[in-house]
Amino acid sequence: MYKILKKEILSQDIEKMVIEAPYIAKKCQPGQFVMVMVEEDGERIPLTIADYDRSENSVTIIYQVVGYTTKLLSQKLEGQTISSIAGPLGQPAHMKKVKRVLGIGGGVGAAPLYPQIKKLTEMGTACDIIIGSRTEEMMILHEEFGEIAENIYFATNDGSKGKKGFVTDVLKELISQGGKYDEVIAIGPLVMMKSVVEITKELNIPTSVSLNPIMIDGTGMCGGCRVTIGQETKFACVDGPDFDGFLVDFEELMRRQTMYMPEEAEHRCRLGI
């Protein structure tokens, strides 16, 4: 059993938990994730490690309450326990010290971006950040990023914070104003990452993306997270989740992600909590 040390509501339907998990905290690296099972006979879901504290023996997860299991998780309180957490899983993000990196986080994608930017700043890399969300209320971790980033920019769909529009609008502005970056790290919805890569590829700015949104069982056994990377079949959970954005076949990936949208629109969950 894994004890919940802290719980915090970050925004509408987005929550943060700090969980006592000494063996995971000892080994985990930025970019990796855990499989969480709230109850002993429950569903296993992949959640990115948003932070870790080796001295406290804890890992931090951030999740959006959207389905049955995350609703169960949301009902847990500080001091209570979670049945199982397996990890760290996946490959650590490939990070090296460069002069300047631009991190782009869309929605809950800001959570897996944070440990990478934190590690890069510790390595001596200057980092700028763009955070995007639908509204200011739904924006997360901007204070934490503000403590480590040299510059931070915002984009919201409704214009309630920063630029009204998308993170790509801010990216284009920074580039047009002479911004120079050795690398871009983009984490968020597939369409956001695809749009970022379309811009950075033309400018030949190496870009890393995270394909955690398509993971299911986290071990490679289900095959649900197959993705074409440079004309080779990879599994997001065991080969990633971070990949070279220039090599990802986003068109294929987005077609697969929307394959069952008509059925999902008609489905009404009958599971009670």
Side-chain angles (χ1 to χ4, degrees), residues 178-195:
K180 302 291 184 182
Y181 296 101
D182 300 291
E183 182 182 355
V184 170
I185 304 172
I187 306 180
L190 292 180
V191 66
M192 184 214 86
M193 293 188 288
K194 176 178 180 291
S195 298

Side-chain angles (χ1 to χ4, degrees), residues 221-239:
M221 295 181 66
C222 74
C225 67
R226 291 190 307 276
V227 59
T228 300
I229 306 291
Q231 300 184 336
E232 294 184 15
T233 298
K234 300 286 186 180
F235 292 88
C237 59
V238 294
D239 298 312

Side-chain angles (χ1 to χ4, degrees), residues 34 38 51 79 82-83 85-86 95-96 106 113 131 133 142-143 155 159 175 178 198 203 205 214 217 220 236 248 261:
V34 291
V38 183
D51 203 357
I82 293 171
S83 177
I85 301 180
M95 292 181 294
K96 60 181 180 180
L113 177 65
I131 301 179
S133 65
H142 51 283
E143 293 182 358
I175 298 300
E198 288 174 349
L203 300 169
I205 306 173
I214 65 171
D217 87 324
V248 176
M261 281 187 70

Side-chain angles (χ1 to χ4, degrees), residues 241-258:
D242 288 3
F243 294 98
D244 181 343
F246 293 179
L247 301 180
V248 176
D249 187 337
F250 280 105
E251 296 294 341
E252 175 192 64
L253 189 53
M254 292 172 70
R255 286 197 304 270
R256 288 184 56 225
Q257 191 183 46
T258 58

